[in-house]
Amino acid sequence: MAERQRKSWLDGAVGYEIYTRSFMDSSGDGFGDLAGIADRLDYLAWLGIDIVWLTPIYPSPDHDHGYDVADYKAVRAEHGTVADVEALLEKAHSLDLKVLLDIVPNHTSSEHEWFKTALADPSSPERAMYLFRDPAPDGGPPNNWISHFGGPAWTLDASSGQYYCHLFLPEQPDLDWRNPAVLDAFDDIYRFWFERGVDGFRIDVAHGLLKHPSFADNPKVREAGEGSGPLAKFFAFDHKFDMDQDDNVQIFARWQAIADNYDATLVAESGVTDHRRLARYVGPDALDLSFFLKPGWMTWEPAEIVAEHLSLADVEPNGISWVISNHDQPRPVSRFTRNEPDTSRGLDRSLAVTTLQMILGGVPFLYYGEELGLGDAIIDPAAREDPVATRNDTDGGEARDVARSPMPWDTSARNGFTTGTPWIASADRESAETVETQKNDPASAVHRYRQLLAVRRSFPDMHSGTYERLDAPTAEVAVIRRDSVLVIANLSTETVSVSAAGDQWQVEFLSAAGEVESEGGTITVSPELSVVLSATS
Ligand code: NOJ
């Protein structure tokens, strides 16, 4: 069989995640919608974005903000209709933008017809689409697996006496990916949307699909610590038997083959942190791309940030979707200055890391509002929406609401997001944080991001030249060359000198106000600054 070809439209592309319910509300119900997004695509084209990913748009009882899907082939009324998807695609394509939807295959909603039938009739084929198991001999859950969101990964179906598995909420029952009927059902869902012109999908919890057939207990590797939240408890285990099973890759290859027929792409959401294991998710026998989520969890630890990027890029210099931000984590402007008296460095640090990501190949993604330098939203603890916070007795450190507030378009009421009451109660943003104000200020965050994307576009070597890691003076510095483009990311607090003999280098982009000098093959870069240079000889 001929090897799969890389899609040309992925070369040099930059993605942008839209948290659908918070981007733009055209109907006044306080909920972001497809028509609102379509109306704002011009802004994304202006910014220099190529691919837009929309978080789930499907009907959902909303226990996990849309990641509990009740019908994969329909659109939730608050977001619009299938016709609105088609209209959005038409508008996007006219602007040369591709649109990815979010598919949630690890679990359905407990309100999905399949699960309702599975509960109502234990002898139905739908029952076998889920993971029902008999209790342990003591009557408790079948094994020690726990949910990401707190409590056991098993809930008792009292009427049958069996437990069902859910790696997230009880309202998110996991599908059995060893059942061919589940594979067939999702092939059909993919085709439904590809036939309508969708350009690809982000695959939710791609690393969770298959469970080990033994359903053995996961080994505990550490104590989570007093008062820790559900995610810390989850990561106290080695998820040997419930996550990242080797044979997931066969499912990916099957899906990517379907997508390839439509020139569509697939991007895994993978929480896998081992670089070699993650590299298995992409390539000729797997998916086009996978997210690497870890830089989106990290606080400001320069040496670790550099090491995580470089060692993954060394094993996979083309297939990673790099991010420092998404809808599940505090925003990087806040995260990168946590516990520091001076938080003004947050934007500069974020852009320094993103500048590095722009030369690491693959398709980097920005998260809506990142280009405005937004920090965490201010949300009244009593008005929290995220089930991770509302269903657990945590201190709020794990609440994801802070990254999900309305996009600040302008200085009018509700920052122009809606004429109604936003679904989430967050404080309005200041004028300087809005698109309107920043567009009028050439020194603003949005112009700095736009300039970075423009530089990447005008120097194709920056994404497609041959990847080469050069010697760096310290562990807090990364030096990457791709043919005629060089990026030096100095995340340290010292001025550093890098030797890049043999060429004359011209500065094309600075991530912050700082100084760069290039003389006699030595380039000097001031602290917490990333720089893009091009070879002039
Ligand atoms: C990852 C998604 O990004 C997150 O928002 C969701 O809660 C879980 N997957 C479960 O679907």
Side-chain angles (χ1 to χ4, degrees):
M1 206 168 80
E3 203 172 88
R4 234 164 41 79
Q5 291 299 306
R6 190 178 156 81
K7 282 165 200 83
S8 57
W9 60 266
L10 291 178
D11 288 341
V14 174
Y16 186 95
E17 178 189 353
I18 289 183
Y19 196 61
T20 302
R21 54 205 287 147
S22 295
F23 198 62
M24 184 61 207
D25 170 27
S26 70
S27 68
D29 66 356
F31 228 78
D33 51 40
L34 295 161
I37 293 170
D39 186 49
R40 298 301 157 114
L41 290 177
D42 298 341
Y43 162 69
L44 298 180
W46 172 83
L47 181 59
I49 297 299
D50 306 283
I51 302 173
V52 172
W53 147 37
L54 312 184
T55 57
I57 59 168
Y58 318 102
S60 165
D62 225 13
H63 294 292
D64 186 21
H65 294 160
Y67 283 95
D68 45 330
V69 178
D71 181 354
Y72 293 87
K73 293 203 233 167
V75 175
R76 176 179 185 156
E78 291 91 334
H79 292 321
T81 62
V82 173
D84 289 333
V85 176
E86 290 170 329
L88 181 137
L89 288 167
E90 202 181 322
K91 171 91 188 281
H93 294 160
S94 75
L95 292 166
D96 264 342
L97 290 167
K98 302 278 188 182
V99 179
L100 313 186
L101 299 184
D102 205 323
I103 195 156
V104 188
N106 178 68
H107 44 266
T108 68
S109 158
S110 53
E111 300 285 307
H112 195 291
E113 285 305 319
W114 300 336
F115 193 69
K116 290 204 251 177
T117 309
L119 281 185
D121 179 3
S123 65
S124 63
E126 284 81 357
R127 180 87 169 189
M129 292 176 79
Y130 293 89
L131 295 166
F132 284 88
R133 292 290 182 275
D134 290 334
D138 67 358
N143 63 25
N144 75 345
W145 296 359
I146 61 171
S147 150
H148 289 76
F149 290 170
W154 297 94
T155 289
L156 182 66
D157 162 29
S159 64
S160 69
Q162 286 196 308
Y163 283 84
Y164 66 88
C165 179
H166 51 87
L167 294 182
F168 295 87
L169 298 175
E171 293 87 347
Q172 293 170 298
D174 280 28
L175 288 162
D176 181 0
W177 279 96
R178 298 193 188 276
N179 179 344
V182 173
L183 287 154
D184 291 345
F186 274 78
D187 289 356
D188 185 46
I189 293 163
Y190 280 114
R191 290 198 181 96
F192 174 87
W193 291 108
F194 288 146
E195 287 294 334
R196 278 156 186 80
V198 167
D199 302 298
F201 285 89
R202 173 262 194 189
I203 304 166
D204 189 61
V205 200
H207 54 313
L209 302 178
L210 290 167
K211 278 65 179 177
H212 194 277
S214 69
F215 277 76
D217 279 358
N218 283 322
K220 191 158 194 184
V221 286
R222 67 180 76 89
E223 285 307 321
E226 195 68 15
S228 50
L231 289 174
K233 287 185 184 139
F234 188 83
F235 290 112
F237 287 89
D238 171 4
H239 288 274
K240 219 176 155 168
F241 297 110
D242 59 346
M243 307 294 286
D244 192 29
Q245 301 299 301
D246 287 348
D247 35 6
N248 280 333
V249 174
Q250 289 158 26
I251 301 177
F252 301 155
R254 173 186 175 122
W255 289 347
Q256 189 65 65
I258 296 173
D260 285 349
N261 285 332
Y262 295 88
D263 193 31
T265 200
L266 297 176
V267 191
E269 186 229 13
S270 167
V272 172
T273 52
D274 179 287
H275 300 151
R276 288 192 181 278
R277 294 243 12 125
L278 184 64
R280 297 172 65 254
Y281 282 55
V282 299
D285 302 319
L287 301 171
D288 282 340
L289 292 162
S290 175
F291 281 107
F292 174 49
L293 299 181
K294 196 165 177 187
W297 307 334
M298 298 176 84
T299 48
W300 190 246
E301 306 150 79
E304 288 77 8
I305 290 174
V306 167
E308 287 293 341
H309 284 85
L310 297 190
S311 79
L312 177 56
D314 283 352
V315 291
E316 184 43 65
N318 291 309
I320 300 301
S321 275
W322 302 94
V323 282
I324 54 169
S325 186
N326 69 23
H327 61 281
D328 291 330
Q329 304 299 332
R331 288 186 176 271
V333 164
S334 301
R335 223 175 52 236
F336 286 163
T337 53
R338 191 176 289 159
N339 303 328
E340 290 186 25
D342 175 13
T343 55
S344 65
R345 301 288 309 150
L347 168 61
D348 289 350
R349 290 175 175 179
S350 299
L351 196 48
V353 179
T354 299
T355 303
L356 168 63
Q357 295 186 337
M358 291 289 158
I359 197 170
L360 296 182
V363 177
F365 274 70
L366 302 179
Y367 180 52
Y368 85 102
E370 187 175 339
E371 77 281 14
L372 303 174
L374 297 185
D376 286 347
I378 298 169
I379 302 206
D380 177 356
R384 279 194 193 128
E385 296 278 347
D386 177 14
V388 176
T390 58
R391 297 203 192 184
N392 291 283
D393 189 16
T394 72
D395 62 1
E398 284 178 306
R400 299 171 294 176
D401 296 329
V402 291
R404 298 178 171 184
S405 59
M407 178 74 168
W409 292 105
D410 57 40
T411 52
S412 66
R414 319 269 177 264
N415 291 133
F417 161 70
T418 181
T419 53
T421 306
W423 69 274
I424 187 166
S426 60
D428 281 3
R429 301 278 184 171
E430 288 171 17
S431 167
E433 296 175 295
T434 64
V435 173
E436 183 186 40
T437 303
Q438 292 203 10
K439 269 186 117 177
N440 290 325
D441 173 6
S444 67
V446 81
H447 280 279
R448 288 159 69 183
Y449 278 87
R450 183 168 184 254
Q451 193 198 346
L452 174 62
L453 303 194
V455 166
R456 192 174 192 253
R457 190 182 302 268
S458 30
F459 293 92
D461 275 356
M462 189 168 172
H463 48 80
S464 299
T466 306
Y467 173 86
E468 197 186 347
R469 190 217 278 215
L470 305 184
D471 286 342
T474 79
E476 298 184 339
V477 181
V479 188
I480 306 290
R481 179 173 184 164
R482 283 188 189 258
D483 297 330
S484 65
V485 177
L486 181 69
V487 168
I488 303 171
N490 177 15
L491 306 190
S492 77
T493 49
E494 312 288 326
T495 295
V496 297
S497 293
V498 169
S499 153
D503 285 285
Q504 293 293 319
W505 294 99
Q506 179 171 313
V507 175
E508 303 295 347
F509 179 76
L510 293 183
S511 62
E515 278 169 33
V516 179
E517 273 171 36
S518 172
E519 225 186 283
T522 299
I523 303 167
T524 308
V525 182
S526 61
E528 293 193 353
L529 179 69
S530 290
V531 53
V532 181
L533 303 111
S534 69
T536 56
S537 63

Short mmCIF file of all heavy atoms in Angstrom, two decimals, residues 58-87:
data_model
loop_
_atom_site.label_atom_id
_atom_site.label_comp_id
_atom_site.label_asym_id
_atom_site.label_seq_id
_atom_site.Cartn_x
_atom_site.Cartn_y
_atom_site.Cartn_z
N TYR A 58 -22.84 19.58 19.69
CA TYR A 58 -23.96 18.63 19.61
C TYR A 58 -24.95 18.80 20.77
O TYR A 58 -24.59 19.34 21.82
CB TYR A 58 -23.41 17.20 19.64
CG TYR A 58 -22.17 17.01 18.80
CD1 TYR A 58 -20.91 16.97 19.40
CD2 TYR A 58 -22.26 16.91 17.41
CE1 TYR A 58 -19.76 16.81 18.63
CE2 TYR A 58 -21.11 16.75 16.65
CZ TYR A 58 -19.86 16.71 17.26
OH TYR A 58 -18.72 16.56 16.50
N PRO A 59 -26.17 18.25 20.59
CA PRO A 59 -27.12 18.24 21.71
C PRO A 59 -26.48 17.55 22.92
O PRO A 59 -25.82 16.51 22.76
CB PRO A 59 -28.30 17.44 21.17
CG PRO A 59 -28.21 17.56 19.69
CD PRO A 59 -26.74 17.65 19.38
N SER A 60 -26.70 18.14 24.08
CA SER A 60 -26.04 17.62 25.29
C SER A 60 -26.81 18.06 26.51
O SER A 60 -27.22 19.22 26.60
CB SER A 60 -24.62 18.20 25.36
OG SER A 60 -24.07 18.01 26.63
N PRO A 61 -27.00 17.18 27.49
CA PRO A 61 -27.61 17.63 28.75
C PRO A 61 -26.66 18.50 29.56
O PRO A 61 -27.02 19.02 30.60
CB PRO A 61 -27.94 16.33 29.47
CG PRO A 61 -27.13 15.27 28.82
CD PRO A 61 -26.79 15.73 27.43
N ASP A 62 -25.41 18.65 29.07
CA ASP A 62 -24.51 19.66 29.60
C ASP A 62 -23.95 19.37 30.98
O ASP A 62 -23.67 20.30 31.73
CB ASP A 62 -25.25 21.01 29.63
CG ASP A 62 -24.39 22.12 29.09
OD1 ASP A 62 -23.35 21.81 28.48
OD2 ASP A 62 -24.76 23.29 29.28
N HIS A 63 -23.79 18.12 31.31
CA HIS A 63 -23.14 17.84 32.60
C HIS A 63 -21.66 18.18 32.54
O HIS A 63 -21.04 18.46 33.55
CB HIS A 63 -23.34 16.37 32.99
CG HIS A 63 -24.78 16.05 33.26
ND1 HIS A 63 -25.46 16.57 34.33
CD2 HIS A 63 -25.68 15.32 32.56
CE1 HIS A 63 -26.71 16.15 34.31
NE2 HIS A 63 -26.87 15.39 33.24
N ASP A 64 -21.07 18.10 31.32
CA ASP A 64 -19.66 18.46 31.16
C ASP A 64 -19.51 19.43 29.98
O ASP A 64 -18.66 19.27 29.13
CB ASP A 64 -18.80 17.20 30.96
CG ASP A 64 -17.30 17.51 30.94
OD1 ASP A 64 -16.91 18.58 31.47
OD2 ASP A 64 -16.53 16.70 30.39
N HIS A 65 -20.39 20.42 29.96
CA HIS A 65 -20.31 21.49 28.95
C HIS A 65 -20.12 20.99 27.53
O HIS A 65 -19.23 21.44 26.80
CB HIS A 65 -19.23 22.49 29.34
CG HIS A 65 -19.60 23.21 30.61
ND1 HIS A 65 -18.70 23.86 31.39
CD2 HIS A 65 -20.80 23.37 31.21
CE1 HIS A 65 -19.32 24.38 32.44
NE2 HIS A 65 -20.60 24.09 32.34
N GLY A 66 -20.98 20.04 27.16
CA GLY A 66 -20.99 19.58 25.78
C GLY A 66 -20.15 18.34 25.51
O GLY A 66 -20.28 17.72 24.46
N TYR A 67 -19.25 17.99 26.45
CA TYR A 67 -18.45 16.77 26.27
C TYR A 67 -19.23 15.53 26.73
O TYR A 67 -18.66 14.48 26.98
CB TYR A 67 -17.09 16.89 26.96
CG TYR A 67 -16.14 17.77 26.15
CD1 TYR A 67 -16.01 19.12 26.42
CD2 TYR A 67 -15.43 17.24 25.07
CE1 TYR A 67 -15.17 19.93 25.65
CE2 TYR A 67 -14.60 18.03 24.29
CZ TYR A 67 -14.48 19.37 24.59
OH TYR A 67 -13.66 20.17 23.81
N ASP A 68 -20.53 15.69 26.84
CA ASP A 68 -21.44 14.58 27.10
C ASP A 68 -22.49 14.65 25.97
O ASP A 68 -23.45 15.39 26.06
CB ASP A 68 -22.07 14.66 28.50
CG ASP A 68 -22.59 16.05 28.87
OD1 ASP A 68 -22.03 17.07 28.39
OD2 ASP A 68 -23.58 16.12 29.63
N VAL A 69 -22.23 13.91 24.91
CA VAL A 69 -22.97 14.08 23.65
C VAL A 69 -24.18 13.14 23.61
O VAL A 69 -24.05 11.93 23.77
CB VAL A 69 -22.05 13.82 22.44
CG1 VAL A 69 -22.82 13.95 21.13
CG2 VAL A 69 -20.86 14.76 22.46
N ALA A 70 -25.35 13.73 23.36
CA ALA A 70 -26.58 12.92 23.30
C ALA A 70 -26.93 12.52 21.87
O ALA A 70 -27.74 11.61 21.66
CB ALA A 70 -27.74 13.69 23.93
N ASP A 71 -26.35 13.23 20.89
CA ASP A 71 -26.64 12.87 19.48
C ASP A 71 -25.51 13.46 18.64
O ASP A 71 -25.37 14.68 18.56
CB ASP A 71 -27.99 13.47 19.06
CG ASP A 71 -28.35 13.11 17.63
OD1 ASP A 71 -27.52 12.50 16.93
OD2 ASP A 71 -29.48 13.46 17.22
N TYR A 72 -24.72 12.57 18.03
CA TYR A 72 -23.53 13.03 17.31
C TYR A 72 -23.84 13.59 15.92
O TYR A 72 -22.94 14.12 15.26
CB TYR A 72 -22.52 11.89 17.16
CG TYR A 72 -21.91 11.43 18.47
CD1 TYR A 72 -22.54 10.47 19.26
CD2 TYR A 72 -20.72 11.98 18.93
CE1 TYR A 72 -21.99 10.05 20.47
CE2 TYR A 72 -20.16 11.57 20.13
CZ TYR A 72 -20.80 10.60 20.89
OH TYR A 72 -20.24 10.20 22.09
N LYS A 73 -25.08 13.40 15.46
CA LYS A 73 -25.37 13.84 14.10
C LYS A 73 -26.37 15.00 14.11
O LYS A 73 -27.20 15.11 13.20
CB LYS A 73 -25.93 12.67 13.29
CG LYS A 73 -24.88 11.58 13.06
CD LYS A 73 -25.25 10.76 11.84
CE LYS A 73 -25.28 9.31 12.11
NZ LYS A 73 -25.92 8.54 11.07
N ALA A 74 -26.33 15.81 15.13
CA ALA A 74 -27.26 16.94 15.21
C ALA A 74 -26.53 18.09 15.91
O ALA A 74 -25.42 17.91 16.41
CB ALA A 74 -28.49 16.54 16.00
N VAL A 75 -27.16 19.24 15.93
CA VAL A 75 -26.58 20.43 16.56
C VAL A 75 -27.49 20.87 17.70
O VAL A 75 -28.73 20.87 17.58
CB VAL A 75 -26.40 21.57 15.52
CG1 VAL A 75 -25.91 22.85 16.19
CG2 VAL A 75 -25.43 21.14 14.43
N ARG A 76 -26.89 21.23 18.78
CA ARG A 76 -27.62 21.72 19.94
C ARG A 76 -28.33 23.03 19.58
O ARG A 76 -27.72 23.92 18.97
CB ARG A 76 -26.58 21.96 21.03
CG ARG A 76 -27.10 22.55 22.27
CD ARG A 76 -25.96 22.70 23.25
NE ARG A 76 -26.53 23.16 24.49
CZ ARG A 76 -26.01 22.99 25.68
NH1 ARG A 76 -24.85 22.38 25.81
NH2 ARG A 76 -26.61 23.44 26.74
N ALA A 77 -29.59 23.16 19.97
CA ALA A 77 -30.39 24.31 19.54
C ALA A 77 -29.72 25.64 19.86
O ALA A 77 -29.74 26.57 19.05
CB ALA A 77 -31.78 24.24 20.17
N GLU A 78 -29.10 25.75 21.04
CA GLU A 78 -28.47 27.03 21.42
C GLU A 78 -27.32 27.40 20.48
O GLU A 78 -26.96 28.57 20.35
CB GLU A 78 -27.92 26.98 22.85
CG GLU A 78 -28.97 26.92 23.94
CD GLU A 78 -29.32 25.49 24.32
OE1 GLU A 78 -29.17 24.57 23.48
OE2 GLU A 78 -29.76 25.30 25.47
N HIS A 79 -26.72 26.38 19.84
CA HIS A 79 -25.62 26.68 18.92
C HIS A 79 -26.10 26.88 17.48
O HIS A 79 -25.38 27.45 16.68
CB HIS A 79 -24.59 25.54 18.92
CG HIS A 79 -23.83 25.40 20.22
ND1 HIS A 79 -23.40 26.48 20.96
CD2 HIS A 79 -23.41 24.30 20.90
CE1 HIS A 79 -22.77 26.04 22.04
NE2 HIS A 79 -22.76 24.74 22.02
N GLY A 80 -27.28 26.35 17.16
CA GLY A 80 -27.80 26.53 15.80
C GLY A 80 -28.30 25.23 15.22
O GLY A 80 -28.90 24.40 15.92
N THR A 81 -28.04 25.04 13.92
CA THR A 81 -28.57 23.89 13.19
C THR A 81 -27.47 23.32 12.29
O THR A 81 -26.42 23.94 12.12
CB THR A 81 -29.73 24.33 12.27
OG1 THR A 81 -29.17 25.28 11.31
CG2 THR A 81 -30.86 24.99 13.03
N VAL A 82 -27.77 22.17 11.69
CA VAL A 82 -26.81 21.61 10.72
C VAL A 82 -26.63 22.60 9.56
O VAL A 82 -25.52 22.78 9.04
CB VAL A 82 -27.27 20.22 10.24
CG1 VAL A 82 -26.36 19.72 9.12
CG2 VAL A 82 -27.26 19.22 11.40
N ALA A 83 -27.70 23.27 9.19
CA ALA A 83 -27.58 24.27 8.11
C ALA A 83 -26.63 25.40 8.52
O ALA A 83 -25.89 25.94 7.68
CB ALA A 83 -28.96 24.85 7.77
N ASP A 84 -26.61 25.73 9.80
CA ASP A 84 -25.66 26.76 10.27
C ASP A 84 -24.21 26.27 10.16
O ASP A 84 -23.29 27.06 9.92
CB ASP A 84 -25.94 27.16 11.73
CG ASP A 84 -27.21 27.96 11.88
OD1 ASP A 84 -27.60 28.64 10.92
OD2 ASP A 84 -27.82 27.89 12.97
N VAL A 85 -24.01 24.96 10.38
CA VAL A 85 -22.66 24.41 10.20
C VAL A 85 -22.26 24.60 8.74
O VAL A 85 -21.14 25.04 8.43
CB VAL A 85 -22.59 22.91 10.58
CG1 VAL A 85 -21.20 22.35 10.28
CG2 VAL A 85 -22.96 22.70 12.04
N GLU A 86 -23.19 24.27 7.85
CA GLU A 86 -22.87 24.38 6.42
C GLU A 86 -22.59 25.83 6.03
O GLU A 86 -21.66 26.11 5.26
CB GLU A 86 -24.01 23.77 5.60
CG GLU A 86 -24.03 22.25 5.78
CD GLU A 86 -25.26 21.56 5.20
OE1 GLU A 86 -26.34 22.18 5.17
OE2 GLU A 86 -25.12 20.39 4.80
N ALA A 87 -23.37 26.74 6.59
CA ALA A 87 -23.14 28.17 6.26
C ALA A 87 -21.78 28.63 6.81
O ALA A 87 -21.04 29.37 6.15
CB ALA A 87 -24.27 29.02 6.86
#
